[in-house]
Amino acid sequence: MQLRFRFTQVFIIVLALAAATVAGCTMIEPQSGGTQSGASLAGAAVAQQALTVQFNNQTAETVEIWSPAADGTLNWQFDLAAGQSQTQQAAAGQQWVVYKLNSEEVLLQATTDANNTTVNIGAQTAQPTTPPAQPTAPAAQPATPTQPAAQPPTGASGMTAAEEQAALQAHNAERANTPGVAPLQWSPELAQFAAQWAQQIAATGNFEHRSGTDLKDNNPLAPGQDQLGENLSGATTGSKSVAQHVQGWIDEKADYDYASNTCADGKQCGHYTQVVWKNTQLVGCGKATGNGWDYVVCNYHKGGNYVGQKPY
């Protein structure tokens, strides 16, 4: 089988946006749709029941079919030409992710089982083809909790105060290791702005950035003046802490070459460069959950990743 790879850790998805357009891999252009990222996927282990799944490509372009392994690694399965169909052996409960060919834009996420063995890929397939089953009755609650209840979200970020602090600390720990880069300050306004977009992604399943116009005109700190930077991340619910979402962006450091100010071939590094962008002073992050996924959005003022400029 041909081998292809997409960046994923326990099926964590990341995306970066900054303020202008970029050539090659030198950061700034919004990386389309769901950059190394997707929308609402699920990464659970699959059952062993064998199924024959039929994929129908109802779009006008070739698509790539991917599936997560039990360890969270996202593996390419096959390409499917426009208007074509193909069958594939699968296990019950197997997850599928459909990308545009040679693109990071996610067209579809779906789960197949004995009651759902057909995956139709078309223009209106942003949501999984099979909604999660709803329980027939509320689960019984134990008389005495066996562990403390989770800390409820505080403020408008959709995160607990501890999660907000963890997100800020994860950014600043890396900035402290970067020459001449000062720590970021937390912005409640940016956190609320980020949470609104995280909620939008969770509600629609469309894992994509705000437009550049939106990031500039609706910048809560300087409307119409400065375009914000933006990083996105998604992972199956509960599989990653907020700090681990941020660390996924920082891990791109391994694929960034400072001398040439470029990413390694076929790799992303724009999320990392936004985290350590020297002229960025403020960050705010928000979180939302939908369709079995946690989504984390961070916005930055001022945004980084300008063409021709190094991050520090």
Side-chain angles (χ1 to χ4, degrees):
M1 175 185 286
Q2 177 184 359
L3 295 179
R4 300 186 190 177
F5 301 94
R6 290 180 182 270
F7 174 76
T8 177
Q9 286 185 322
V10 193
F11 221 29
I12 189 167
I13 323 174
V14 292
L15 198 83
L17 177 72
T21 328
V22 51
C25 195
T26 321
M27 289 53 78
I28 303 220
E29 185 169 39
Q31 299 164 12
S32 63
T35 310
Q36 272 327 33
S37 14
S40 42
L41 293 155
V46 299
Q48 298 303 313
Q49 179 183 357
L51 300 173
T52 299
V53 178
Q54 178 165 319
F55 293 82
N56 302 315
N57 184 2
Q58 300 171 350
T59 73
E61 55 194 322
T62 300
V63 298
E64 301 176 9
I65 312 298
W66 295 69
S67 181
D71 65 357
T73 303
L74 188 59
N75 295 324
W76 173 80
Q77 303 297 313
F78 58 92
D79 292 344
L80 188 58
Q84 298 299 304
S85 298
Q86 180 170 325
T87 58
Q88 179 84 353
Q89 294 299 305
Q94 187 158 345
Q95 312 293 314
W96 304 97
V97 191
V98 181
Y99 288 86
K100 283 187 177 182
L101 183 66
N102 299 324
S103 169
E104 300 301 336
E105 181 173 351
V106 175
L107 298 177
L108 170 68
Q109 302 82 44
T111 303
T112 52
D113 54 34
N115 297 316
N116 179 38
T117 58
T118 301
V119 178
N120 293 316
I121 306 158
Q124 303 299 320
T125 54
Q127 299 293 331
T129 57
T130 303
Q134 299 298 318
T136 56
Q141 299 297 316
T144 303
T146 58
Q147 59 184 6
Q151 185 180 1
T154 58
S157 69
M159 300 190 297
T160 65
E163 287 176 321
E164 292 180 350
Q165 185 65 22
L168 180 62
Q169 288 178 343
H171 280 83
N172 284 339
E174 184 60 30
R175 291 174 72 90
N177 292 326
T178 307
V181 177
L184 297 175
Q185 300 297 316
W186 185 262
S187 167
E189 294 84 2
L190 290 181
Q192 181 176 5
F193 186 74
Q196 290 170 351
W197 194 245
Q199 292 161 7
Q200 172 77 7
I201 295 172
T204 64
N206 295 328
F207 193 87
E208 60 186 8
H209 282 293
R210 293 179 186 263
S211 68
T213 300
D214 191 358
L215 289 167
K216 181 177 181 180
D217 291 350
N218 295 315
N219 177 350
L221 302 178
Q225 298 180 36
D226 299 309
Q227 183 169 319
L228 299 173
E230 183 172 87
N231 279 355
L232 311 182
S233 177
T236 51
T237 299
S239 66
K240 291 288 183 181
S241 67
V242 171
Q244 287 172 322
H245 282 272
V246 176
Q247 187 61 45
W249 303 327
I250 295 169
D251 287 344
E252 293 180 3
K253 180 179 182 178
D255 298 314
Y256 174 65
D257 179 68
Y258 183 81
S260 63
N261 197 30
T262 58
C263 307
D265 289 345
K267 300 291 185 178
Q268 296 184 69
C269 58
H271 318 91
Y272 161 70
T273 54
Q274 175 59 85
V275 168
V276 298
W277 196 263
K278 181 176 181 179
N279 292 335
T280 298
Q281 298 172 322
L282 300 173
V283 64
C285 303
K287 177 183 173 184
T289 299
N291 296 314
W293 275 73
D294 291 335
Y295 299 100
V296 173
V297 178
C298 289
N299 286 115
Y300 304 85
H301 182 82
K302 300 179 176 179
N305 289 348
Y306 283 90
V307 174
Q309 296 183 23
K310 291 185 175 181
Y312 53 87

